[in-house]
Amino acid sequence: MTVSYSRLVANGSSFGCFGSILCKWRGSVYKLVWRELAAYLVVYFAINLAYRFAFTEAQQKLFIKIRCYLAGHSASVPLTFAMSFYVGLVVKRWWEQYRLLPWPDTLALFASAAIPGTTDERGRLMRRNIVRYAVLAYVITLKQVSIRVKKRFPTLQHIVDAGIMLESEKKIVEMMDERSPMSKYWMPLVWATNIINRARRESLISSDQVVQTLLVELSDIRRRLGSIISYDTVCVPLVYTQVSILPIPYRLYLFI
């Protein structure tokens, strides 16, 4: 979860501004790892108390030998190297996914310029439906990758109730889902393309160049939405994640 904190450090000269960032709980690293940290502290103090009060002198010497042996081989575990590359990869993926999020505003501006007129009801409905279909494709995509959007729109009926999808369109999507379980985020964009072609045939759009501009924008939205789904489907290789995580308990053990 991304939490905005730029206003807290807008003026870096104020005393304690960075301390206020460290004390934030929502979206913080403390909220993310407090359960693991609590479990580690329980194990740490259990071993510590056992070493001081339960172990015999021979067991304490054996424990120290094991600890010294592990400490001597700690340099062979490139924790900093592995974590730096892993964190860099994760942050890069996160930033690229954010940059892929499409903005329907550009399409709305193009549609408004391509199909002008404020008194023509048919032109107004065409502009409205083109943008609505882009938003519908956006919602269908985010339902697959965002838990919050999935909770907001758990079913297609919730999208219909929100006014983003019509009942007839819902039936078409459900019929297509019966044929194939693959994502249908592209279907609203196809419907928007049909509206653009119809507007051109009815001379509501003045030239083919304007049609091409609208279709290029729709294609860019489809490319971005497809890339977002790809990022959600193709994760960081599990082996790389495990290699980055496994050295951490080993290093923590050395602090006991």
Side-chain angles (χ1 to χ4, degrees):
M1 178 178 61
T2 303
V3 177
S4 178
Y5 59 88
S6 57
R7 63 180 181 84
L8 299 176
V9 293
N11 185 3
S13 61
S14 59
F15 179 77
C17 61
F18 292 101
S20 61
I21 294 178
L22 295 177
C23 294
K24 288 184 68 68
W25 174 257
R26 184 168 178 262
S28 66
V29 66
Y30 320 120
K31 184 178 180 180
L32 181 65
V33 303
W34 74 268
R35 296 178 181 86
E36 290 80 1
L37 178 61
Y40 168 76
L41 291 177
V42 170
V43 175
Y44 171 83
F45 284 109
I47 296 177
N48 193 299
L49 293 174
Y51 171 80
R52 296 177 183 276
F53 302 106
F55 286 3
T56 63
E57 184 176 352
Q59 291 173 335
Q60 289 179 348
K61 291 181 179 179
L62 178 61
F63 181 84
I64 292 175
K65 288 181 180 180
I66 295 175
R67 184 193 179 282
C68 292
Y69 174 80
L70 294 176
H73 291 77
S74 62
S76 61
V77 182
L79 179 61
T80 304
F81 177 80
M83 289 301 297
S84 61
F85 274 93
Y86 184 76
V87 172
L89 176 61
V90 171
V91 172
K92 181 181 178 182
R93 282 174 57 91
W94 170 80
W95 182 246
E96 288 178 350
Q97 290 179 66
Y98 169 75
R99 290 176 60 87
L100 282 172
L101 294 176
W103 294 90
D105 307 61
T106 304
L107 178 64
L109 291 174
F110 287 164
S112 178
I115 310 176
T118 57
T119 58
D120 184 9
E121 182 67 17
R122 183 166 179 77
R124 186 184 68 84
L125 289 177
M126 284 185 172
R127 293 193 300 269
R128 180 178 179 180
N129 284 329
I130 289 173
V131 178
R132 181 174 65 84
Y133 285 144
V135 174
L136 176 58
Y138 206 168
V139 171
I140 294 175
T141 301
L142 293 184
K143 275 186 60 179
Q144 302 183 45
V145 301
S146 173
I147 297 177
R148 290 195 173 189
V149 178
K150 181 65 176 178
K151 290 181 178 179
R152 175 62 180 85
F153 303 106
T155 63
L156 293 178
Q157 186 59 45
H158 288 79
I159 302 179
V160 174
D161 296 339
I164 304 176
M165 176 185 285
L166 300 180
E167 190 67 34
S168 58
E169 297 165 353
K170 170 177 168 288
K171 294 180 180 179
I172 295 175
V173 174
E174 289 176 342
M175 181 183 64
M176 294 297 295
D177 286 337
E178 294 177 357
R179 298 182 180 180
S180 174
M182 300 298 292
S183 174
K184 307 299 186 301
Y185 73 93
W186 47 268
M187 287 187 62
L189 300 178
V190 174
W191 298 337
T193 302
N194 294 335
I195 292 178
I196 294 172
N197 292 331
R198 190 184 313 130
R200 176 55 180 152
R201 289 195 301 268
E202 297 177 5
S203 299
L204 295 176
I205 297 179
S206 59
S207 65
D208 293 335
Q209 288 77 12
V210 177
V211 173
Q212 182 180 4
T213 300
L214 291 172
L215 294 181
V216 168
E217 184 63 25
L218 285 175
S219 299
D220 183 65
I221 293 176
R222 192 220 62 80
R223 178 188 64 82
R224 289 171 176 266
L225 296 180
S227 298
I228 291 174
I229 293 178
S230 298
Y231 269 109
D232 182 68
T233 305
V234 183
C235 303
V236 177
L238 180 60
V239 174
Y240 196 10
T241 304
Q242 292 173 338
V243 168
S244 302
I245 293 176
L246 286 177
I248 296 178
Y250 173 76
R251 282 294 182 90
L252 291 176
Y253 176 77
L254 299 180
F255 289 100
I256 298 177

